[in-house]
Amino acid sequence: MKYKLLSIFCISLILLFIFNAKIAAVENKDNNSEMTDERVIEIIKEIADFMDSGEKISDEVSCRESDGYHDYYFKNQEDEEKLYKYHRDYIKDAAYDYLCEIYDIRFYRGRCTQSRTSRSDLSSSLYYKIDTNGNFHIKSRDKKSICVQIQFVKKVILTENMPEISDGEVYLELCEDNKWRISKVSQWFDDLAYYDLGYCMKTFFDPEYSSLSDYEKFIEKYGYDSKGNRISMYISTDDNDEIFQGSDTELISEAANLEKLKKLSKLAASMAREEIYARHGKIYPKFSTEFNYFIRKIWYEENENFNENNLSDIEKENIKIISEYIESF
């Protein structure tokens, strides 16, 4: 009898262990390195379809709670919680912000369960969404990363030269908590535009007036070095909205200025060089990179009488120094 009870007890423990293991397997089917290719694609489509339906998932609701704000947001509590779960379990922050902009999911100040930051200016620059009816396949994968080839479909009317359908990728990363999360979404309008340039993308390239070939030339010129390596396109300005304030009065060859120059990206250095000309009102071809950039500057005024001979010796020397730096890429 003693042994019979012991056997029953052991069998019960084994069955309990198996049951718990099955429950854990179900709960963690997406949380381990053995996620299948099929499940990876399913997750991407599921998230894209949900966020697409959420673009205008509800009416514009004012003051659902007594916070006094008027924003687009999910009307139903369960939808807010579902989006929160997708973000928490499946999407890293940078990719989440990017997806929220693609699908025009606005920041709801009361609960903060949608886009963590409000970027209305940037959302007008994203014109494609994931085509969940398009072709999906695993492009590459290893123990900690997965790249899925996907397709994007044009979201709004652009110039005729913009493709209706374009290829792209979704990258997943195995995080420290052993969960796979989307780390980046990329297409021809890819991370060079959003993750690197951010809001400044439309400052240089406006797809309402430019073509895909214009974009590709822009990326090729400023996004790669002479060896074909990907380089940063980061750019920033000072309080006067200039990259190199004082380049018209101070020599860049001085130590402090030279150190500042060496920190500039190829794109920033190119605009810093043009900045010297632009202060004198140099006129640029309409919708060119330089035109798109300087036409937005408060201090810039086109000068039909512009002449390079009017540049000072300091300005000419600084143009030479910046040009040598640009050639070093």
Short mmCIF file of all heavy atoms in Angstrom, two decimals, residues 167-210:
data_model
loop_
_atom_site.label_atom_id
_atom_site.label_comp_id
_atom_site.label_asym_id
_atom_site.label_seq_id
_atom_site.Cartn_x
_atom_site.Cartn_y
_atom_site.Cartn_z
N ASP A 167 9.99 46.81 -51.87
CA ASP A 167 10.49 45.82 -50.93
C ASP A 167 11.09 46.48 -49.70
O ASP A 167 11.52 47.64 -49.74
CB ASP A 167 11.56 44.95 -51.60
CG ASP A 167 10.98 44.06 -52.68
OD1 ASP A 167 9.78 43.70 -52.57
OD2 ASP A 167 11.69 43.72 -53.63
N GLY A 168 11.13 45.74 -48.64
CA GLY A 168 11.74 46.23 -47.41
C GLY A 168 11.99 45.08 -46.47
O GLY A 168 11.85 43.90 -46.83
N GLU A 169 12.39 45.40 -45.25
CA GLU A 169 12.69 44.38 -44.25
C GLU A 169 12.13 44.76 -42.89
O GLU A 169 11.99 45.93 -42.57
CB GLU A 169 14.20 44.17 -44.09
CG GLU A 169 14.92 43.60 -45.31
CD GLU A 169 15.29 44.65 -46.32
OE1 GLU A 169 15.55 45.81 -45.91
OE2 GLU A 169 15.27 44.34 -47.53
N VAL A 170 11.84 43.73 -42.11
CA VAL A 170 11.56 43.89 -40.68
C VAL A 170 12.61 43.07 -39.94
O VAL A 170 12.83 41.90 -40.24
CB VAL A 170 10.15 43.40 -40.32
CG1 VAL A 170 9.96 43.41 -38.80
CG2 VAL A 170 9.10 44.28 -40.98
N TYR A 171 13.28 43.71 -38.99
CA TYR A 171 14.33 43.04 -38.22
C TYR A 171 13.83 42.74 -36.81
O TYR A 171 13.24 43.61 -36.16
CB TYR A 171 15.56 43.94 -38.13
CG TYR A 171 16.19 44.25 -39.47
CD1 TYR A 171 15.73 45.31 -40.25
CD2 TYR A 171 17.25 43.49 -39.95
CE1 TYR A 171 16.30 45.59 -41.48
CE2 TYR A 171 17.83 43.77 -41.18
CZ TYR A 171 17.35 44.83 -41.94
OH TYR A 171 17.91 45.11 -43.16
N LEU A 172 14.04 41.51 -36.37
CA LEU A 172 13.71 41.12 -35.01
C LEU A 172 14.98 40.78 -34.25
O LEU A 172 15.94 40.26 -34.82
CB LEU A 172 12.77 39.92 -34.99
CG LEU A 172 11.30 40.19 -35.36
CD1 LEU A 172 11.11 40.16 -36.87
CD2 LEU A 172 10.37 39.19 -34.69
N GLU A 173 14.96 41.07 -32.97
CA GLU A 173 16.13 40.86 -32.12
C GLU A 173 15.72 40.09 -30.87
O GLU A 173 14.68 40.37 -30.26
CB GLU A 173 16.71 42.22 -31.73
CG GLU A 173 17.84 42.19 -30.74
CD GLU A 173 18.24 43.59 -30.30
OE1 GLU A 173 18.15 44.52 -31.13
OE2 GLU A 173 18.65 43.75 -29.13
N LEU A 174 16.51 39.11 -30.49
CA LEU A 174 16.27 38.36 -29.26
C LEU A 174 16.82 39.17 -28.10
O LEU A 174 18.02 39.38 -27.98
CB LEU A 174 16.94 36.98 -29.32
CG LEU A 174 16.65 36.06 -28.13
CD1 LEU A 174 15.15 35.75 -28.04
CD2 LEU A 174 17.45 34.76 -28.24
N CYS A 175 15.93 39.65 -27.25
CA CYS A 175 16.31 40.57 -26.17
C CYS A 175 16.76 39.81 -24.92
O CYS A 175 16.68 38.59 -24.86
CB CYS A 175 15.14 41.50 -25.85
SG CYS A 175 14.59 42.48 -27.27
N GLU A 176 17.22 40.57 -23.94
CA GLU A 176 17.77 39.97 -22.73
C GLU A 176 16.75 39.15 -21.94
O GLU A 176 17.11 38.22 -21.23
CB GLU A 176 18.36 41.07 -21.83
CG GLU A 176 19.60 41.73 -22.43
CD GLU A 176 20.18 42.77 -21.49
OE1 GLU A 176 19.60 43.00 -20.41
OE2 GLU A 176 21.24 43.35 -21.84
N ASP A 177 15.47 39.50 -22.06
CA ASP A 177 14.43 38.74 -21.35
C ASP A 177 13.96 37.54 -22.16
O ASP A 177 12.93 36.93 -21.85
CB ASP A 177 13.25 39.64 -21.00
CG ASP A 177 12.60 40.26 -22.24
OD1 ASP A 177 13.09 40.01 -23.36
OD2 ASP A 177 11.61 40.99 -22.07
N ASN A 178 14.72 37.20 -23.21
CA ASN A 178 14.46 36.02 -24.05
C ASN A 178 13.19 36.17 -24.89
O ASN A 178 12.56 35.18 -25.27
CB ASN A 178 14.36 34.74 -23.20
CG ASN A 178 14.81 33.51 -23.98
OD1 ASN A 178 15.73 33.58 -24.78
ND2 ASN A 178 14.16 32.38 -23.75
N LYS A 179 12.81 37.40 -25.20
CA LYS A 179 11.68 37.65 -26.08
C LYS A 179 12.17 38.23 -27.40
O LYS A 179 13.06 39.07 -27.41
CB LYS A 179 10.70 38.64 -25.43
CG LYS A 179 9.91 38.07 -24.27
CD LYS A 179 8.88 39.09 -23.78
CE LYS A 179 8.04 38.52 -22.66
NZ LYS A 179 7.00 39.49 -22.20
N TRP A 180 11.55 37.77 -28.48
CA TRP A 180 11.84 38.34 -29.79
C TRP A 180 11.03 39.61 -29.96
O TRP A 180 9.81 39.62 -29.76
CB TRP A 180 11.48 37.35 -30.90
CG TRP A 180 12.44 36.23 -31.06
CD1 TRP A 180 12.32 34.97 -30.56
CD2 TRP A 180 13.68 36.27 -31.77
NE1 TRP A 180 13.41 34.21 -30.91
CE2 TRP A 180 14.27 34.98 -31.66
CE3 TRP A 180 14.36 37.25 -32.48
CZ2 TRP A 180 15.48 34.66 -32.24
CZ3 TRP A 180 15.58 36.94 -33.06
CH2 TRP A 180 16.13 35.66 -32.95
N ARG A 181 11.69 40.70 -30.36
CA ARG A 181 11.00 41.96 -30.59
C ARG A 181 11.45 42.59 -31.91
O ARG A 181 12.61 42.46 -32.29
CB ARG A 181 11.26 42.95 -29.45
CG ARG A 181 10.60 42.57 -28.13
CD ARG A 181 10.80 43.67 -27.10
NE ARG A 181 10.10 43.38 -25.85
CZ ARG A 181 10.62 42.67 -24.86
NH1 ARG A 181 11.83 42.18 -24.98
NH2 ARG A 181 9.92 42.45 -23.77
N ILE A 182 10.53 43.26 -32.57
CA ILE A 182 10.86 44.01 -33.78
C ILE A 182 11.78 45.16 -33.38
O ILE A 182 11.42 45.97 -32.54
CB ILE A 182 9.60 44.55 -34.46
CG1 ILE A 182 8.73 43.39 -34.96
CG2 ILE A 182 9.96 45.48 -35.62
CD1 ILE A 182 7.36 43.82 -35.48
N SER A 183 12.96 45.22 -33.98
CA SER A 183 13.93 46.26 -33.62
C SER A 183 14.02 47.36 -34.67
O SER A 183 14.43 48.48 -34.37
CB SER A 183 15.32 45.65 -33.41
OG SER A 183 15.76 44.99 -34.59
N LYS A 184 13.63 47.04 -35.91
CA LYS A 184 13.71 48.03 -36.98
C LYS A 184 12.80 47.64 -38.14
O LYS A 184 12.64 46.47 -38.44
CB LYS A 184 15.15 48.18 -37.48
CG LYS A 184 15.34 49.31 -38.49
CD LYS A 184 16.81 49.57 -38.77
CE LYS A 184 17.45 48.47 -39.58
NZ LYS A 184 18.81 48.84 -40.04
N VAL A 185 12.20 48.64 -38.75
CA VAL A 185 11.40 48.45 -39.96
C VAL A 185 12.05 49.29 -41.05
O VAL A 185 12.29 50.48 -40.86
CB VAL A 185 9.95 48.90 -39.75
CG1 VAL A 185 9.13 48.67 -41.02
CG2 VAL A 185 9.32 48.15 -38.57
N SER A 186 12.35 48.67 -42.18
CA SER A 186 13.16 49.36 -43.18
C SER A 186 12.63 49.12 -44.59
O SER A 186 12.20 48.02 -44.93
CB SER A 186 14.61 48.87 -43.08
OG SER A 186 15.40 49.42 -44.10
N GLN A 187 12.64 50.16 -45.42
CA GLN A 187 12.32 50.05 -46.83
C GLN A 187 13.22 51.02 -47.60
O GLN A 187 14.23 51.48 -47.06
CB GLN A 187 10.85 50.36 -47.09
CG GLN A 187 10.47 51.76 -46.67
CD GLN A 187 9.22 52.29 -47.34
OE1 GLN A 187 8.55 53.10 -46.77
NE2 GLN A 187 8.92 51.89 -48.54
N TRP A 188 12.88 51.35 -48.85
CA TRP A 188 13.74 52.31 -49.57
C TRP A 188 13.70 53.66 -48.89
O TRP A 188 14.64 54.45 -48.97
CB TRP A 188 13.32 52.42 -51.04
CG TRP A 188 11.98 53.05 -51.28
CD1 TRP A 188 10.80 52.41 -51.45
CD2 TRP A 188 11.70 54.44 -51.40
NE1 TRP A 188 9.79 53.32 -51.65
CE2 TRP A 188 10.32 54.58 -51.63
CE3 TRP A 188 12.48 55.59 -51.33
CZ2 TRP A 188 9.70 55.81 -51.78
CZ3 TRP A 188 11.86 56.82 -51.49
CH2 TRP A 188 10.49 56.92 -51.71
N PHE A 189 12.63 53.93 -48.17
CA PHE A 189 12.48 55.15 -47.40
C PHE A 189 12.96 54.85 -45.98
O PHE A 189 12.31 55.17 -45.01
CB PHE A 189 10.99 55.49 -47.39
CG PHE A 189 10.67 56.94 -47.53
CD1 PHE A 189 11.07 57.65 -48.65
CD2 PHE A 189 9.96 57.60 -46.56
CE1 PHE A 189 10.75 58.98 -48.79
CE2 PHE A 189 9.62 58.93 -46.70
CZ PHE A 189 10.02 59.63 -47.82
N ASP A 190 14.09 54.20 -45.87
CA ASP A 190 14.42 53.36 -44.72
C ASP A 190 15.04 54.07 -43.54
O ASP A 190 14.83 55.25 -43.29
CB ASP A 190 15.31 52.20 -45.16
CG ASP A 190 16.61 52.70 -45.76
OD1 ASP A 190 16.92 53.90 -45.66
OD2 ASP A 190 17.33 51.89 -46.36
N ASP A 191 15.83 53.32 -42.78
CA ASP A 191 16.41 53.85 -41.54
C ASP A 191 17.33 55.02 -41.79
O ASP A 191 17.58 55.82 -40.89
CB ASP A 191 17.18 52.75 -40.81
CG ASP A 191 18.32 52.19 -41.65
OD1 ASP A 191 18.11 51.90 -42.84
OD2 ASP A 191 19.43 52.04 -41.11
N LEU A 192 17.86 55.15 -43.00
CA LEU A 192 18.68 56.32 -43.29
C LEU A 192 17.85 57.59 -43.13
O LEU A 192 18.35 58.64 -42.77
CB LEU A 192 19.23 56.23 -44.73
CG LEU A 192 20.18 55.08 -45.02
CD1 LEU A 192 20.57 55.10 -46.48
CD2 LEU A 192 21.41 55.16 -44.15
N ALA A 193 16.58 57.46 -43.44
CA ALA A 193 15.69 58.62 -43.36
C ALA A 193 15.17 58.83 -41.94
O ALA A 193 15.21 59.94 -41.42
CB ALA A 193 14.52 58.44 -44.31
N TYR A 194 14.69 57.77 -41.32
CA TYR A 194 14.05 57.95 -40.02
C TYR A 194 15.02 57.82 -38.84
O TYR A 194 15.13 58.71 -38.02
CB TYR A 194 12.92 56.94 -39.85
CG TYR A 194 12.24 57.06 -38.51
CD1 TYR A 194 11.27 58.03 -38.30
CD2 TYR A 194 12.58 56.24 -37.45
CE1 TYR A 194 10.65 58.17 -37.08
CE2 TYR A 194 11.96 56.37 -36.22
CZ TYR A 194 11.00 57.33 -36.03
OH TYR A 194 10.39 57.46 -34.82
N TYR A 195 15.72 56.71 -38.77
CA TYR A 195 16.54 56.46 -37.60
C TYR A 195 17.78 57.36 -37.55
O TYR A 195 18.33 57.59 -36.49
CB TYR A 195 16.98 54.99 -37.56
CG TYR A 195 15.84 54.05 -37.31
CD1 TYR A 195 15.18 53.43 -38.35
CD2 TYR A 195 15.40 53.78 -36.02
CE1 TYR A 195 14.12 52.57 -38.13
CE2 TYR A 195 14.34 52.93 -35.78
CZ TYR A 195 13.71 52.33 -36.84
OH TYR A 195 12.65 51.49 -36.61
N ASP A 196 18.19 57.88 -38.70
CA ASP A 196 19.41 58.69 -38.74
C ASP A 196 19.10 60.17 -38.83
O ASP A 196 19.60 60.97 -38.06
CB ASP A 196 20.25 58.27 -39.95
CG ASP A 196 21.74 58.35 -39.66
OD1 ASP A 196 22.11 58.39 -38.48
OD2 ASP A 196 22.51 58.39 -40.61
N LEU A 197 18.23 60.54 -39.75
CA LEU A 197 17.91 61.95 -39.96
C LEU A 197 16.72 62.43 -39.13
O LEU A 197 16.61 63.60 -38.80
CB LEU A 197 17.62 62.22 -41.43
CG LEU A 197 18.82 62.21 -42.36
CD1 LEU A 197 18.38 62.44 -43.80
CD2 LEU A 197 19.82 63.27 -41.97
N GLY A 198 15.81 61.52 -38.81
CA GLY A 198 14.66 61.92 -38.03
C GLY A 198 13.85 63.00 -38.71
O GLY A 198 13.55 62.92 -39.89
N TYR A 199 13.51 64.03 -37.95
CA TYR A 199 12.68 65.11 -38.48
C TYR A 199 13.33 65.79 -39.69
O TYR A 199 12.65 66.38 -40.52
CB TYR A 199 12.43 66.17 -37.41
CG TYR A 199 11.71 65.67 -36.21
CD1 TYR A 199 12.30 65.72 -34.95
CD2 TYR A 199 10.43 65.14 -36.31
CE1 TYR A 199 11.63 65.26 -33.83
CE2 TYR A 199 9.76 64.68 -35.19
CZ TYR A 199 10.36 64.75 -33.95
OH TYR A 199 9.71 64.29 -32.85
N CYS A 200 14.66 65.76 -39.77
CA CYS A 200 15.37 66.50 -40.82
C CYS A 200 15.22 65.85 -42.19
O CYS A 200 15.63 66.44 -43.19
CB CYS A 200 16.86 66.60 -40.48
SG CYS A 200 17.21 67.65 -39.05
N MET A 201 14.68 64.64 -42.26
CA MET A 201 14.57 63.96 -43.54
C MET A 201 13.89 64.83 -44.59
O MET A 201 14.41 65.03 -45.69
CB MET A 201 13.79 62.66 -43.38
CG MET A 201 13.53 61.94 -44.69
SD MET A 201 12.41 60.53 -44.50
CE MET A 201 10.87 61.37 -44.14
N LYS A 202 12.72 65.38 -44.24
CA LYS A 202 11.95 66.14 -45.22
C LYS A 202 12.61 67.48 -45.52
O LYS A 202 12.28 68.14 -46.50
CB LYS A 202 10.53 66.34 -44.73
CG LYS A 202 9.54 66.62 -45.86
CD LYS A 202 8.11 66.58 -45.36
CE LYS A 202 7.15 66.84 -46.51
NZ LYS A 202 5.74 66.81 -46.08
N THR A 203 13.54 67.89 -44.66
CA THR A 203 14.30 69.12 -44.93
C THR A 203 15.13 68.96 -46.19
O THR A 203 15.35 69.92 -46.94
CB THR A 203 15.22 69.44 -43.74
OG1 THR A 203 14.43 69.58 -42.57
CG2 THR A 203 16.00 70.71 -43.98
N PHE A 204 15.61 67.75 -46.46
CA PHE A 204 16.48 67.50 -47.61
C PHE A 204 15.75 66.86 -48.78
O PHE A 204 16.12 67.06 -49.93
CB PHE A 204 17.63 66.58 -47.20
CG PHE A 204 18.51 67.17 -46.14
CD1 PHE A 204 18.38 66.79 -44.81
CD2 PHE A 204 19.45 68.14 -46.45
CE1 PHE A 204 19.18 67.34 -43.83
CE2 PHE A 204 20.25 68.70 -45.48
CZ PHE A 204 20.11 68.30 -44.16
N PHE A 205 14.73 66.08 -48.48
CA PHE A 205 14.07 65.33 -49.54
C PHE A 205 12.57 65.34 -49.31
O PHE A 205 12.09 64.87 -48.29
CB PHE A 205 14.59 63.89 -49.55
CG PHE A 205 13.88 63.01 -50.54
CD1 PHE A 205 14.23 63.03 -51.87
CD2 PHE A 205 12.84 62.19 -50.13
CE1 PHE A 205 13.56 62.24 -52.78
CE2 PHE A 205 12.16 61.39 -51.04
CZ PHE A 205 12.53 61.42 -52.37
N ASP A 206 11.82 65.89 -50.23
CA ASP A 206 10.37 65.98 -50.12
C ASP A 206 9.73 65.12 -51.21
O ASP A 206 9.75 65.50 -52.38
CB ASP A 206 9.91 67.43 -50.25
CG ASP A 206 8.46 67.59 -49.84
OD1 ASP A 206 7.72 66.59 -49.92
OD2 ASP A 206 8.06 68.70 -49.45
N PRO A 207 9.17 63.97 -50.85
CA PRO A 207 8.62 63.06 -51.86
C PRO A 207 7.39 63.58 -52.56
O PRO A 207 6.92 62.97 -53.51
CB PRO A 207 8.30 61.80 -51.04
CG PRO A 207 8.10 62.31 -49.65
CD PRO A 207 9.07 63.43 -49.49
N GLU A 208 6.85 64.70 -52.11
CA GLU A 208 5.73 65.28 -52.83
C GLU A 208 6.19 65.95 -54.13
O GLU A 208 5.40 66.18 -55.03
CB GLU A 208 5.01 66.31 -51.95
CG GLU A 208 4.31 65.70 -50.75
CD GLU A 208 3.57 66.74 -49.93
OE1 GLU A 208 3.22 67.79 -50.51
OE2 GLU A 208 3.36 66.52 -48.74
N TYR A 209 7.48 66.25 -54.19
CA TYR A 209 8.01 66.95 -55.38
C TYR A 209 9.18 66.21 -56.02
O TYR A 209 9.54 66.48 -57.16
CB TYR A 209 8.48 68.36 -54.99
CG TYR A 209 7.40 69.18 -54.32
CD1 TYR A 209 7.41 69.37 -52.95
CD2 TYR A 209 6.38 69.74 -55.06
CE1 TYR A 209 6.42 70.12 -52.32
CE2 TYR A 209 5.37 70.49 -54.45
CZ TYR A 209 5.40 70.67 -53.08
OH TYR A 209 4.43 71.41 -52.47
N SER A 210 9.80 65.29 -55.29
CA SER A 210 10.99 64.60 -55.78
C SER A 210 10.65 63.16 -56.16
O SER A 210 9.58 62.65 -55.84
CB SER A 210 12.08 64.63 -54.71
OG SER A 210 12.33 65.95 -54.30
#
